[in-house]
Amino acid sequence: MRRYSAFAIAREALRYHTGWERAWAAPEPKSEYDVVIVGAGGHGLATAYYLGKNFGITNVAIIEKGWLGGGNTGRNTTIIRSNYLQDPSAAIYEKARSLYETMSQDLNYNVMFSPRGVMMLAQTEHEIRGYQRTAHANALQGVQTEFISPQRVKELCPIIELSGPRYPVLGALWQPRGGTARHDAVAWGYARACSDMGMHILQQCEVTAIHQADGQVTGVTTSKGEIKCKKLAILVAGNSGVLANMAGFRLPLESAALQALVSEPIKPCMDVVVMANTVHGYMSQSDKGELVIGGGADGFNNYTQRGSFHHVEETVRALIETFPIISRLKMLRQWGGVVDMTGDRSPIISKTPLGNCFINGGWGTGGFKSIPGSGWAMAELVAKGEPGELAAPFGLDRFKEGRFIDESVAAGVAH
Ligand SMILES: Cc1cc2nc3c(=O)[nH]c(=O)nc-3n(C[C@H](O)[C@H](O)[C@H](O)COP(=O)(O)OP(=O)(O)OC[C@H]3O[C@@H](n4cnc5c(N)ncnc54)[C@H](O)[C@@H]3O)c2cc1C
């Protein structure tokens, strides 16, 4: 595949853009692959990419029931940070964040990574203590964060109201190298690189059954026919429980809709990401000028991909409190995605009771930021059959052993 470059843009401009190749191929499915990956979201595609790049495994199909990146990967609010409390979380989220730094170069695809800085506001005494503790933990983990004063918050984000009607801003946990990236581009960049390695991305192809013999996975039934495989990796976010059911095991997960909304575009007014966890909302400004806004997940399990009105109302109310300047803005559109949440709010990257079948899920409301780190760790698990250092703490056995990785604070409203 031809590299994208300034020279290529100039060349194509001269010939009226007639020479661009398709970014990825649309092949017919083969009858068998070494590895079948279910789900062409960021996690599935990143797993495929690192299987090829780090382990030379390229006889891979990535099977997607809709269009690639059309799940949560294309529906999230694109926040990237690694300021988690527990060591295993900091390790995998920081690995991911550092891979984002060079992703555009690695993939030869501009994912618009923007390390503009992320702040999580402390608006109660408890939050001050909690975030100070996280800042200390992050210092030990080698993750660069600091607890900053309200004055510094105001300097970094002048449109913020420090003396909010209910909760004044008392400080913030600040990660200067956190930020955002273009979510679709992350999926497209990985897809292009995977296709270039000869992998098959099969869109509009739904997995409807998983087959096994003697306790080992043997293949899948899809809407495009039977496909055999030596190894199967399931990375389907909100549908994890459905796929696990097909494979004959259960997961400690709940699925619910999480929603986001954007305002009409306005002139640049904030160049950091702000999360206000106590009042329950967060906001950043996209390159188009829209304010990108998110809040909480539905309080009941569902697969609706819609979200509910009361969350829109609560989230907007919370953000008007934090940023009174936005009170007269019009909201442009709203959407939802189905997220899968574990009890300890940490992901699952694991072998399963079915031999050679692996699962990666439970990223809940915050798995966009982890895509490259998760793909890296999952590729190692699939290639070697055993988890490496990054994935090992996130095995399913932790739920049996009561060895939880509690991130309920870091994963609250914050994404
Ligand atoms: C509104 C919202 C805001 C969010 N904000 C953030 C944020 O700011 N920062 C952050 O880090 N995270 C955020 N997240 C979470 C993040 O989007 C997800 O954790 C992440 O995208 C999950 O990626 P994935 O590849 O696992 O899943 P997905 O992108 O959902 O991909 C899974 C794919 O599997 C496919 N699939 C399912 N079943 C089948 C089947 N039977 N056969 C074939 N294919 C199948 C689906 O169609 C889907 O495309 C947000 C999520 C939402 C919904």
Side-chain angles (χ1 to χ4, degrees), residues 39 42-43 64-65 72-73 76-79 207 237 365-369:
H43 289 263
E64 168 55 51
K65 72 174 174 184
N72 292 344
T73 300
N76 67 78
T77 43
T78 78
I79 297 170
V207 170
T365 58
F368 174 70
K369 65 179 72 64

Side-chain angles (χ1 to χ4, degrees), residues 29-82:
K30 292 196 292 189
S31 59
E32 184 164 3
Y33 295 89
D34 289 341
V35 179
V36 161
I37 293 175
V38 192
H43 289 263
L45 291 161
T47 300
Y49 175 72
Y50 293 115
L51 269 175
K53 186 174 172 191
N54 295 352
F55 299 97
I57 299 171
T58 55
N59 185 17
V60 175
I62 307 124
I63 302 185
E64 168 55 51
K65 72 174 174 184
W67 67 97
L68 71 87
N72 292 344
T73 300
R75 294 165 186 269
N76 67 78
T77 43
T78 78
I79 297 170
I80 295 168
R81 61 184 174 87
S82 57

Side-chain angles (χ1 to χ4, degrees), residues 37-46 62-81 84 93 100 179-180 183 187 202 204-209 221-223 234-240 242-243 246 256-261 273 275 282 284 292-296 305 335-340 360-371 374 413-415:
I37 293 175
V38 192
H43 289 263
L45 291 161
I62 307 124
I63 302 185
E64 168 55 51
K65 72 174 174 184
W67 67 97
L68 71 87
N72 292 344
T73 300
R75 294 165 186 269
N76 67 78
T77 43
T78 78
I79 297 170
I80 295 168
R81 61 184 174 87
Y84 283 69
Y93 286 107
Y100 267 115
T180 59
H183 48 9
L202 308 172
Q204 305 287 321
C205 181
E206 180 169 3
V207 170
T208 53
T221 301
T222 77
S223 49
I234 300 172
L235 300 99
V236 293
N239 288 281
S240 297
V242 179
L243 268 290
M246 290 181 200
L258 175 71
Q259 64 191 316
L261 54 151
V273 180
M275 296 170 170
Y282 63 92
S284 65
V292 182
I293 293 173
Q305 280 200 334
W335 65 91
V338 185
V339 297
D340 50 341
N360 179 316
W363 293 97
T365 58
F368 174 70
K369 65 179 72 64
S370 63
I371 282 173
S374 157
V413 68
H415 295 299

Side-chain angles (χ1 to χ4, degrees), residues 164-176:
R166 286 188 297 163
Y167 296 98
V169 174
L170 305 170
L173 181 66
W174 169 239
Q175 182 168 27

